[in-house]
Amino acid sequence: MKRRLLFGTLLLLATVACQREKPVQSDSSQPVEVAPALADTLLETPASGTGPIRRDWHRLARRTDRAAPLIVYRRGTLRPPGADTTALPPSEARLQDLTLKASEYFQIDPTQPAEVRGREGTVVRIPAGVLVTNSNQPAANPVWVELKECYSVADMLLSNLSTVTPEGELLESGGIVLVRASARGQQLRLAAGQGFQLQMPGAASRRKELKLFYGQGGRGQQPVRWVAAGPAAERPLPSTVASTADQMPTYGNGPADINKLVRYPPTAVENKTEGIVYASFLVDENGRVEAPQIVRGIGGGCDEEVLRVLSQTSGHWTPARSAGQLVKVKMVLPIRFSFHEGLANPAETATASADPMVPVSGALADAADEQDAGEAGERRVYTCTRLGWLNADKPLTTASTFVALTVPVDVEPGTSIRLVFEDCMAIVEGQPQADGYAFQRLPANRKVLLIGLQYRNGTPFLAMRHTVTDELASEQLQFQETTLADLERAIEKIQ
């Protein structure tokens, strides 16, 4: 009997323990609170009463442009621990990362000759098929060309550039540019034995003294040292402009369509000016008119009228073809201005018409070549066999006496000291040492400007001091807190 009673008690306890727990009833009229981290917005009126707090900042207001030239880094290089401890990533943004001169980007077809023109006058001409990947595969379309132009001391300083060779020789710069190309997130290079043409603004006569130098990367991938390109930079690229083609360029239905655009200038009508104006020009692979020039003119506003018509037709030409390939061709367009006195209809007194276009040849070719030589005289032309930083330099004036200079400033990762010569575009970077930043082998008795830049805890500091290289062996700099805008304005005032 006792055993039966004990067994029943255990069975009852097991049954109660196995029963399902009833869910807790909640009032459906009360909204369920959502965690703030999962909500798009907080309450429109917070308890503090400071106004609405938005949490939808992570939502895109406008979709990113798919055609933007973004470089995607898909996989990093694996290295064993401790293999490279000399180039640690910066703990915060460097000042030059914020003041770096902006680049322009151009989309080109690598299978066709391309010409890129910068806002400050730089012209980059890339032949067809010269861009390849690191595995020597032809570049796939589209290709983005990056162009950065630094033609002032301010641009060079704000882009963390200097003008010194690996041997410590000081250079005087005539301009620094960056030319790079990328496709599908990968950097491109020039195929072996290939090159491109670089035109920099400035008198061509200075090309004899300003030689091409290639940038040699340093910290932060900045070209802190420059290596001479050698005689190869002086040799021109093979000409890509033809004088004849299997199929010559055409505009619309021929001269009749050009006639509709020509207007007889009022000054020429008044002075009864008449004759034939010969204009030379290039029609590129995209049907654009390049380098229109008057070979023979008659004045009275007729020459300017012909140039206006050619400019209006640019982009609407059918390009030339040779062996099935688009080619650039040089042409001469004659436009006849005729004055007919005594006609009853005043509108027919003066007429202008385009004669059939002809290739460049004979005396017209010689005149056109003279015009081209005049245009080239306004530029410095180099042949480049590398992409990257490019600099037109000459050695700084040699001196018989050299001095050293030290700036006693604490050496910190966010500090840089530059020395700028006041009479030319020559910039030297101070080398960090135990007692500060040192400059070696400076020409004596030269007026210079010491510029110190610091970036601490997100705040820029600037110091500037004029001095002469042989007055003191040590120069003090006083840093003043500033803003990025004021810093750039102060640097831009440097001539």
Side-chain angles (χ1 to χ4, degrees):
M1 186 65 181
K2 292 182 179 180
R3 291 181 178 178
R4 290 180 179 178
L5 181 61
L6 179 60
F7 180 77
T9 303
L10 294 175
L11 181 61
L12 180 61
L13 292 175
T15 302
V16 174
C18 293
Q19 289 183 353
R20 180 177 299 177
E21 184 178 359
K22 295 182 179 181
V24 178
Q25 300 293 332
S26 61
D27 188 359
S28 60
S29 63
Q30 298 295 330
V32 179
E33 183 178 0
V34 181
L38 302 179
D40 287 338
T41 59
L42 290 176
L43 297 178
E44 294 185 355
T45 306
S48 59
T50 58
I53 301 177
R54 302 290 299 176
R55 278 191 174 271
D56 56 353
W57 53 268
H58 59 285
R59 296 182 179 275
L60 289 177
R62 183 176 59 183
R63 187 178 297 276
T64 304
D65 184 10
R66 294 180 180 273
L70 301 179
I71 299 177
V72 181
Y73 298 91
R74 300 186 181 280
R75 181 177 298 179
T77 302
L78 297 179
R79 296 183 179 180
D84 185 6
T85 58
T86 61
L88 298 177
S91 58
E92 61 177 346
R94 296 166 300 177
L95 184 59
Q96 59 265 24
D97 296 331
L98 305 177
T99 61
L100 185 67
K101 180 75 177 288
S103 295
E104 295 180 76
Y105 291 88
F106 306 85
Q107 186 175 352
I108 68 170
D109 181 354
T111 63
Q112 300 291 336
E115 182 178 281
V116 168
R117 291 180 176 264
R119 298 183 179 182
E120 299 184 29
T122 307
V123 179
V124 178
R125 291 177 176 168
I126 304 176
V130 300
L131 296 175
V132 297
T133 64
N134 289 331
S135 57
N136 287 325
Q137 297 299 317
N141 191 37
V143 166
W144 287 96
V145 174
E146 177 187 2
L147 176 61
K148 189 192 304 289
E149 301 168 285
C150 298
Y151 287 108
S152 67
V153 172
D155 290 341
M156 297 178 190
L157 286 172
L158 294 174
S159 298
N160 196 32
L161 299 173
S162 59
T163 59
V164 184
T165 68
E167 296 76 23
E169 181 183 7
L170 304 183
L171 301 173
E172 177 184 347
S173 177
I176 301 175
V177 298
L178 172 66
V179 180
R180 287 191 295 209
S182 62
R184 299 180 180 179
Q186 295 184 356
Q187 290 292 329
L188 303 176
R189 60 181 180 85
L190 294 174
Q194 301 297 328
F196 67 94
Q197 186 184 86
L198 172 67
Q199 295 186 9
M200 305 179 77
S205 59
R206 294 203 67 192
R207 190 176 67 170
K208 297 180 180 179
E209 59 178 351
L210 293 176
K211 304 300 182 180
L212 181 68
F213 284 73
Y214 295 120
Q216 195 177 70
R219 184 181 61 183
Q221 298 182 351
Q222 292 294 338
V224 295
R225 296 293 182 264
W226 299 95
V227 179
E234 307 299 325
R235 292 193 290 268
L237 289 175
S239 177
T240 58
V241 179
S243 58
T244 60
D246 298 339
Q247 178 183 337
M248 295 299 289
T250 58
Y251 178 79
N253 295 320
D257 284 348
I258 298 180
N259 291 343
K260 300 175 182 178
L261 306 177
V262 184
R263 300 291 181 267
Y264 214 116
T267 304
V269 174
E270 182 180 352
N271 297 327
K272 300 181 181 181
T273 303
E274 60 180 350
I276 302 177
V277 176
Y278 292 90
S280 70
F281 59 100
L282 303 176
V283 178
D284 69 7
E285 297 82 357
N286 297 315
R288 295 174 300 190
V289 172
E290 295 181 0
Q293 301 171 36
I294 299 301
V295 179
R296 291 180 183 173
I298 60 176
C302 298
D303 302 347
E304 292 77 6
E305 175 64 13
V306 173
L307 294 178
R308 183 195 67 80
V309 170
L310 287 175
S311 176
Q312 186 175 348
T313 63
S314 181
H316 302 286
W317 289 75
T318 300
R321 286 184 178 272
S322 285
Q325 297 293 323
L326 298 176
V327 294
K328 181 185 293 188
V329 174
K330 191 168 189 176
M331 298 288 295
V332 169
L333 173 67
I335 294 185
R336 185 184 305 272
F337 293 84
S338 301
F339 186 83
H340 307 285
E341 191 172 9
L343 293 180
N345 186 1
E348 297 178 356
T349 302
T351 60
S353 61
D355 293 343
M357 288 167 287
V358 295
V360 179
S361 61
L364 291 178
D366 296 337
D369 291 340
E370 292 178 2
Q371 293 285 351
D372 291 342
E375 181 186 12
E378 300 176 356
R379 293 182 177 276
R380 292 172 280 132
V381 183
Y382 304 96
T383 298
C384 307
T385 57
R386 298 186 196 174
L387 295 173
W389 285 100
L390 308 167
N391 192 354
D393 289 285
K394 70 174 183 178
L396 196 63
T397 304
T398 57
S400 58
T401 306
F402 295 91
V403 296
L405 178 65
T406 301
V407 180
V409 175
D410 292 338
V411 176
E412 297 178 354
T415 300
S416 66
I417 308 296
R418 296 285 196 276
L419 184 147
V420 180
F421 288 81
E422 295 189 5
D423 57 349
C424 63
M425 285 199 297
I427 304 174
V428 188
E429 179 182 9
Q431 299 302 313
Q433 296 183 355
D435 55 348
Y437 292 83
F439 299 90
Q440 304 293 336
R441 290 189 57 80
L442 297 175
N445 197 27
R446 295 291 293 268
K447 293 182 178 181
V448 295
L449 174 63
L450 284 172
I451 301 176
L453 300 174
Q454 286 185 343
Y455 194 59
R456 301 195 304 264
N457 300 324
T459 302
F461 294 82
L462 174 64
M464 303 176 67
R465 181 182 178 89
H466 293 273
T467 185
V468 180
T469 51
D470 60 347
E471 286 188 350
L472 296 173
S474 177
E475 288 283 356
Q476 299 288 337
L477 284 180
Q478 298 294 329
F479 285 88
Q480 299 291 334
E481 181 178 342
T482 182
T483 63
L484 285 175
D486 291 341
L487 183 146
E488 292 180 356
R489 280 193 289 266
I491 295 296
E492 288 173 355
K493 293 179 181 179
I494 302 174
Q495 300 296 328

